[in-house]
Amino acid sequence: MSLVLLLVGSLLLSACRKEPEGVTVRFWAMGREAEVVTGLIKEFEAENPGIHVDVQNIPWTAAHEKLLTAFAADGLPDVCQLGNTWIPEFAELNTLVPLQPYVAQSKVVDPADYFQGIWDTNVVHDELVGVPWYVDTRLLYYRKDLLAQAGYDHPPRTWAEWNEMMAAIKKMQGPKRYAVLMPINEFEQQLSFALQQPDPLLRDADTRGNFSSPGFRKTLGFYENMFAQGWAPRMSETQISNVWDEFFRGFNVFYLSGPWNIREFKKLQPKELEGKWGTAALPGPDGPGAGIAGGTSLVIFRSSQQKEASWKLIEFLSRPAIQERFHSIIGDLPPRRSTWEYPSLANDPLAQPFRDQLERVKPTPKVLEWERIVQEMRIITEQVVRGGLDQDVAVKELDKRVDKVLAKRRWMHERDAQEKAAGSGVHSSAVATGAAQ
């Protein structure tokens, strides 16, 4: 009898218990950004009581593999933070929702307010598939006091001016100190210089390498000369004890890095060097030059059952006021010009050169093989700098390696072209036959 009563009670309790109302949006974010965004999302949920956001923190080191595994298992989230160089890959896999219809109806997301180069990283095959969340690029950190000792009262604006400054600084520094630090196991410096050239990095509809072009040859010559002249040490990041300490002890005057280091340099600067270092836009061949359009964007996966709620979340995170708060917490740079008008950014002399740089950033080639290609570029340029590989031989070898990486893409492109030509041929023949009749 007691068992029957227990079962009846359970059934009555179940009948009285209400099912959870609303929907749940699964949001995958990476690293520190995932930790910070959780606090902001509480405000979103308060504004949208019918929507709950489940944030999963994915380590950057495992993110790419986890996303591909989830794709294969049909387990992708609703919304995801994607690195800008990953977007073409997932667009090619046909996993991303086209967002232009949402943007067209939005009163929050205004394409004209975004830095053009950053926005363009989200357009693949003329289709918008993501909205920039935060941006990243590289520019110069420099010691104002040491540059002044070398006889200059402003950072370099052109390659020629930079070369002149580095020569003067090296002469002042002596044999054990340098003008610039560019760890040779990194690719961002070479890539930044290459993006400043008119020649594209890939050719033939992005199916072959274009590293033998005059533009990349000029880039490689400029880059290698810094090491050949002794202005930069032939060192990888693992050979440098601490880039911040070395900078403040005067081991190098210039250092190429991203926005996250503003906070690190501020935190670690000796009191006597406060105000004696700064940031500056990258010099280019003929004036301030282009840079990398890095960072991450927010996407919605096609498999999502909560697309409308997911878009609301993207709109919330895209508000200038929310982006400003996100920046104030974590230091990531906002992709919208209007957010840069907030005093925390407008009045920050260390951040403002990044805003200037962001007006000139360029996306890298939008091919899913890009991360493999850029690593090949890093390996070859390191061989030039460290091993003395001839530059002419290097660019030919790099094109050869990149062509091999792009072999499948090239085959598919040629196949599509042949099918298109065959289709046109059939149509033309039919038209010709009809005309003859």
Side-chain angles (χ1 to χ4, degrees):
M1 182 68 177
S2 58
L3 180 60
V4 172
L5 290 174
L6 183 62
L7 289 172
V8 171
S10 295
L11 290 170
L12 288 172
L13 185 62
S14 298
C16 293
R17 184 186 297 127
K18 292 183 179 180
E19 291 298 317
E21 294 182 359
V23 300
T24 296
V25 172
R26 293 192 305 137
F27 178 21
W28 285 9
M30 287 72 177
R32 175 70 174 142
E33 282 76 17
E35 298 172 14
V36 170
V37 79
T38 302
L40 297 175
I41 280 175
K42 291 179 181 179
E43 183 176 329
F44 170 78
E45 291 177 332
E47 288 184 12
N48 300 273
I51 303 174
H52 169 68
V53 180
D54 178 18
V55 180
Q56 184 169 350
N57 188 338
I58 312 295
W60 271 112
T61 52
H64 190 261
E65 183 179 353
K66 187 173 178 66
L67 283 164
L68 290 177
T69 301
F71 164 69
D74 196 23
L76 289 167
D78 300 295
V79 181
C80 187
Q81 168 192 357
L82 274 189
N84 287 345
T85 57
W86 295 359
I87 287 176
E89 177 179 3
F90 286 90
E92 293 283 357
L93 292 172
N94 198 33
T95 64
L96 305 181
V97 172
L99 296 180
Q100 188 55 46
Y102 293 91
V103 172
Q105 299 295 321
S106 179
K107 295 181 180 179
V108 176
V109 178
D110 177 11
D113 192 34
Y114 287 76
F115 297 108
Q116 184 57 45
I118 296 295
W119 185 265
D120 190 39
T121 62
N122 291 269
V123 180
V124 181
H125 302 312
D126 297 322
E127 191 169 70
L128 179 71
V129 292
V131 173
W133 188 20
Y134 67 83
V135 296
D136 176 26
T137 192
R138 299 293 193 277
L139 47 60
L140 290 182
Y141 287 74
Y142 72 103
R143 286 281 299 272
K144 296 179 181 180
D145 55 340
L146 295 179
L147 188 59
Q149 286 181 32
Y152 299 93
D153 61 0
H154 63 274
R157 291 159 293 202
T158 66
W159 282 8
E161 190 175 32
W162 197 12
N163 281 340
E164 178 187 307
M165 290 181 181
M166 287 190 287
I169 290 167
K170 179 59 180 176
K171 185 177 180 180
M172 177 187 75
Q173 291 276 72
K176 295 184 179 181
R177 296 189 177 196
Y178 300 87
V180 62
L181 178 61
M182 294 192 299
I184 58 178
N185 63 320
E186 299 176 351
F187 65 81
E188 287 82 3
Q189 297 90 341
Q190 308 94 297
L191 179 58
S192 296
F193 302 148
L195 290 171
Q196 296 176 348
Q197 302 295 333
D199 296 313
L201 296 171
L202 301 179
R203 62 183 177 89
D204 296 351
D206 290 343
T207 64
R208 291 187 182 276
N210 196 38
F211 295 93
S212 296
S213 66
F216 190 78
R217 284 173 179 264
K218 187 176 180 180
T219 290
L220 183 56
F222 174 68
Y223 175 73
E224 194 271 337
N225 185 57
M226 296 186 191
F227 298 92
Q229 296 292 338
W231 302 338
R234 292 183 172 90
M235 300 172 70
S236 66
E237 194 173 35
T238 56
Q239 295 173 284
I240 302 162
S241 59
N242 184 305
V243 294
W244 306 285
D245 288 347
E246 298 295 351
F247 181 76
F248 287 123
R249 77 177 184 88
F251 180 75
N252 54 287
V253 173
F254 297 110
Y255 177 53
L256 274 71
S257 191
W260 63 88
N261 260 328
I262 291 178
R263 289 193 172 200
E264 292 300 319
F265 277 116
K266 279 184 175 180
K267 182 172 66 176
L268 298 170
Q269 66 183 354
K271 189 174 181 180
E272 64 273 15
L273 290 181
E274 185 175 353
K276 294 183 179 180
W277 60 278
T279 59
L282 277 181
D286 304 304
I292 301 170
T296 68
S297 297
L298 299 172
V299 303
I300 301 173
F301 286 113
R302 287 182 184 270
S303 57
S304 171
Q305 300 300 307
Q306 312 297 345
K307 292 182 177 66
E308 293 298 327
S310 297
W311 177 249
K312 284 186 178 182
L313 174 61
I314 290 178
E315 282 191 312
F316 174 80
L317 295 175
S318 299
R319 293 179 191 171
I322 297 298
Q323 289 188 351
E324 191 277 335
R325 284 170 52 194
F326 189 62
H327 163 76
S328 67
I329 298 169
I330 195 171
D332 288 344
L333 299 182
R336 302 186 65 160
R337 295 181 180 92
S338 57
T339 310
W340 285 83
E341 296 174 6
Y342 282 81
S344 62
L345 284 156
N347 299 331
D348 185 346
L350 296 171
Q352 280 301 305
F354 279 96
R355 192 214 180 285
D356 178 35
Q357 187 71 57
L358 289 169
E359 293 288 359
R360 293 184 300 279
V361 295
K362 292 182 179 180
T364 53
K366 299 171 186 176
V367 297
L368 61 86
E369 302 92 345
W370 178 249
E371 292 201 358
R372 291 173 60 194
I373 291 170
V374 81
Q375 289 302 328
E376 293 291 354
M377 184 193 73
R378 180 193 63 78
I379 291 168
I380 292 294
T381 55
E382 182 173 350
Q383 289 176 1
V384 171
V385 169
R386 196 188 285 275
L389 180 65
D390 180 79
Q391 291 183 24
D392 289 336
V393 174
V395 293
K396 291 176 183 177
E397 175 63 20
L398 182 52
D399 274 338
K400 181 180 177 182
R401 293 190 183 192
V402 172
D403 287 353
K404 186 175 181 180
V405 171
L406 293 171
K408 184 176 181 180
R409 173 175 292 273
R410 188 163 55 255
W411 174 81
M412 293 176 65
H413 179 76
E414 291 169 355
R415 180 200 62 186
D416 292 345
Q418 289 172 0
E419 289 178 355
K420 186 176 181 180
S424 299
V426 170
H427 178 70
S428 299
S429 299
V431 171
T433 302
Q437 292 174 344

